[in-house]
């Protein structure tokens, strides 16, 4: 018979069972309309739920991206400082963060598509519900209960099919968001417990500490070198510098104050 | 003829498309019956592709029930099987 026909029959059978339960066909219309409005509410809540999950994953993505960028910087700094061992450690941690990132990106895309599908389903259902409301009023105003039956059956079967479809779409979205929530919760917990921080940068960011230490060390060395060079050059320069300073009045004064410092500096080597 | 793709809505198709769709559907059904995962995915994709090719979206406020209903594109074989036995539908 084919899959399509069989699925259609299942949908029809469900609508027929619901119709059979109704005693007054026109009551069916009002009752069904209520159910439709409830389903519309439900699908809108579904869209909002998926959006919330998506935003949460988005925040986590940003956070992990920052961590990854930081580790990348640290690896570069380490290499620049000639510390390949530190760079390797930073890159190893970055790879760990990256695999979390890849996983989250997939989840994000999946939630985005689920949100889009549900939001479209919500619009489709809205159109059908609007059409049903109009049809319902027409049927109630125009036909006797007996005459109305066929028309009610058709409208009801049509809307019931849409509702069945939307109902399943909500179910699928709920299942997906439940999975994502569990995983997002696990990552939040990791972040809160500091375990992910450990993975990113060690308990106290040992890579950064090492870089800072080296950075500070280098800073002091550089400063010392610079000062030594200055001192070594300052004596001959100031002596030579005193002569051309007389060419203008302003520097003549500063030049005259310079020799005062000279004896102290000159005295140091002795 | 109105055909529904689950999760996507209804399409209006010329009645002349029916024989070809039935043929594609037969391949899909055979795959499901044989529990043949490898044949299932392409069979569903082929059916959907053809329906999208010859169909155009039905008017949004159309209350006519569909003549044929096709499972959602990412449906697993287990999900399709449920659709055939009423399990896939939410009660109520």
């Amino acid at each position: 018979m084919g899959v399509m026909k069989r699925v259609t029959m299942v949908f029809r059978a469900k609508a027929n069972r619901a119709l059979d339960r109704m005693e007054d066909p026109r009551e069916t219309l009002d009752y069904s309309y209520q159910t439709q409005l409830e389903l519309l509410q439900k699908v809108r809540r579904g869209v909002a739920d998926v959006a919330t999950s998506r935003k949460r994953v988005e925040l986590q993505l940003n956070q992990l991206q920052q961590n990854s960028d930081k580790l990348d910087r640290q690896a570069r700094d380490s290499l620049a400082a000639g510390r390949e061992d530190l760079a390797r450690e930073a890159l190893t941690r970055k790879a760990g963060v990256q695999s979390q990132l890849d996983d989250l990106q997939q989840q994000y895309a999946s939630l985005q598509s689920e949100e889009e599908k549900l939001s479209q389903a919500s619009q489709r259902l809205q159109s059908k519900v609007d059409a049903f409301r109009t049809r319902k009023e027409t049927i109630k105003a125009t036909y006797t209960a007996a005459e109305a039956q066929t028309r009610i059956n058709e409208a009801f079967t049509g809307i019931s099919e849409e509702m069945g479809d939307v109902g399943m779409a909500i179910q699928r979205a709920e299942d997906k968001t439940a999975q994502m929530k569990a995983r997002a919760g696990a990552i939040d917990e990791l972040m809160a417990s500091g375990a992910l921080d450990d993975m990113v940068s060690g308990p106290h960011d040992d890579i950064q500490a090492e870089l800072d230490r080296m950075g500070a060390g280098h800073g002091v060395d550089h400063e010392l070198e610079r000062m030594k060079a200055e001192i070594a050059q300052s004596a001959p320069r100031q002596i030579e510098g005193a002569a051309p300073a007389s060419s203008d009045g302003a520097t003549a004064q500063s030049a005259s104050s310079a020799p005062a410092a000279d004896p102290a500096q000159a005295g140091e080597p002795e | 003829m109105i055909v529904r793709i689950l999760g996507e809505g209804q399409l209006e198709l010329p009645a002349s498309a029916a024989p070809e769709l039935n043929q594609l559907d037969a391949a899909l059904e055979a795959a499901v019956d044989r529990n043949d995962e490898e044949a299932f995915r392409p069979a569903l994709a082929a059916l959907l592709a053809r329906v999208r090719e010859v169909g155009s979206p039905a008017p949004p406020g159309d209350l006519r029930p569909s003549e044929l209903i096709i499972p959602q594109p990412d449906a697993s074989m287990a999900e399709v099987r449920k659709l055939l036995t009423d399990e896939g539908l939410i009660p109520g």
Side-chain angles (χ1 to χ4, degrees):
Chain A
M1 191 200 309
V3 170
M4 297 188 291
K5 262 269 165 307
R6 282 161 72 184
V7 175
T8 313
M9 279 173 62
V10 169
F11 272 79
R12 293 281 171 90
K14 190 193 170 205
N16 288 337
R17 278 199 304 276
L19 274 171
D20 287 346
R21 281 199 300 268
M22 312 287 177
E23 300 204 339
D24 178 348
R26 287 194 279 189
E27 241 174 60
T28 310
L29 293 173
D30 290 329
Y31 175 75
S32 173
Y33 185 62
Q34 278 312 309
T35 325
Q36 291 160 32
L37 294 181
E38 281 162 25
L39 185 61
L40 257 182
Q41 285 299 314
K42 199 175 168 192
V43 69
R44 285 187 189 135
R45 270 202 306 276
V47 175
D49 279 351
V50 179
T52 306
S53 284
R54 176 182 54 76
K55 282 174 197 153
R56 185 175 177 193
V57 170
E58 201 172 320
L59 282 177
Q60 291 184 332
L61 268 177
N62 288 342
Q63 219 166 331
L64 282 178
Q65 189 58 56
Q66 279 172 19
N67 287 341
S68 171
D69 291 348
K70 180 181 171 190
L71 286 166
D72 193 83
R73 259 196 325 273
Q74 288 179 338
R76 283 168 203 280
D77 290 349
S78 303
L79 263 190
R83 288 288 305 270
E84 201 175 321
D85 58 325
L86 264 190
R88 183 178 299 277
E89 179 59 30
L91 288 178
T92 307
R93 288 175 191 172
K94 189 188 158 196
V97 173
Q98 195 60 49
S99 83
Q100 294 257 23
L101 259 176
D102 293 345
D103 188 41
L104 269 186
Q105 249 143 12
Q106 273 181 20
Q107 291 184 41
Y108 185 76
S110 161
L111 282 173
Q112 239 179 347
S113 116
E114 213 57 41
E115 190 181 342
E116 177 70 13
K117 276 191 232 167
L118 261 196
S119 148
Q120 281 169 5
S122 165
Q123 282 166 26
R124 280 197 304 271
L125 181 61
Q126 177 74 66
S127 306
K128 299 258 178 190
V129 170
D130 289 345
F132 187 89
R133 192 190 55 229
T134 312
R135 181 82 59 91
K136 166 171 94 82
E137 294 313 320
T138 312
I139 292 173
K140 277 163 82 174
T142 324
Y143 300 95
T144 65
E147 284 172 336
Q149 188 69 66
T150 325
R151 287 158 208 284
I152 290 172
N153 285 0
E154 197 203 29
F156 184 85
T157 308
I159 196 96
S160 159
E161 180 188 310
E162 188 70 45
M163 290 169 76
D165 189 358
V166 170
M168 285 191 295
I170 295 176
Q171 191 62 55
R172 286 196 297 271
E174 274 176 3
D175 291 349
K176 268 202 183 138
T177 34
Q179 283 172 16
M180 305 278 168
K181 273 183 189 161
R183 292 162 90 177
I187 290 184
D188 274 347
E189 262 173 47
L190 270 179
M191 283 175 168
S193 72
L196 197 61
D197 286 343
D198 291 354
M199 196 179 76
V200 169
S201 46
H204 309 290
D205 200 347
D206 50 356
I207 294 180
Q208 196 55 49
E210 181 73 9
L211 277 171
D212 288 347
R213 199 185 58 72
M214 288 187 327
H218 274 264
V220 170
D221 288 345
H222 275 287
E223 194 83 347
L224 275 174
E225 287 305 315
R226 193 175 58 77
M227 282 180 172
K228 278 183 196 166
E230 269 180 20
I231 290 164
Q233 285 174 3
S234 66
R237 216 189 250 165
Q238 274 162 0
I239 291 161
E240 288 167 50
S246 60
S247 59
D248 69 80
T251 43
Q253 267 202 334
S254 70
S256 68
S257 69
D262 243 301
Q265 285 180 337
E268 239 178 7
E270 285 167 23
Chain B
M1 147 171 99
I2 293 194
V3 175
R4 174 180 294 272
I5 300 176
L6 288 178
E8 291 185 14
Q10 291 173 308
L11 295 162
E12 184 111 49
L13 273 74
S16 59
E20 193 193 352
L21 294 187
N22 283 334
Q23 230 174 355
L24 291 166
D25 189 15
L28 176 65
E29 191 179 33
V32 174
D33 286 347
R34 285 197 316 268
N35 205 16
D36 186 349
E37 189 78 55
E38 252 173 69
F40 165 75
R41 191 61 37 211
L44 179 57
L47 177 60
L48 285 164
R50 193 64 192 139
V51 168
R52 290 193 177 115
E53 203 178 326
V54 292
S56 49
D62 199 328
L63 286 175
R64 281 177 295 166
S66 307
E67 217 164 293
L68 298 169
I69 299 178
I70 308 179
Q72 65 275 18
D74 61 353
S76 67
M77 197 148 58
E79 282 173 312
V80 171
R81 210 165 267 130
K82 274 187 183 176
L83 282 172
L84 300 177
T85 57
D86 208 359
E87 273 180 80
L89 286 179
I90 290 113

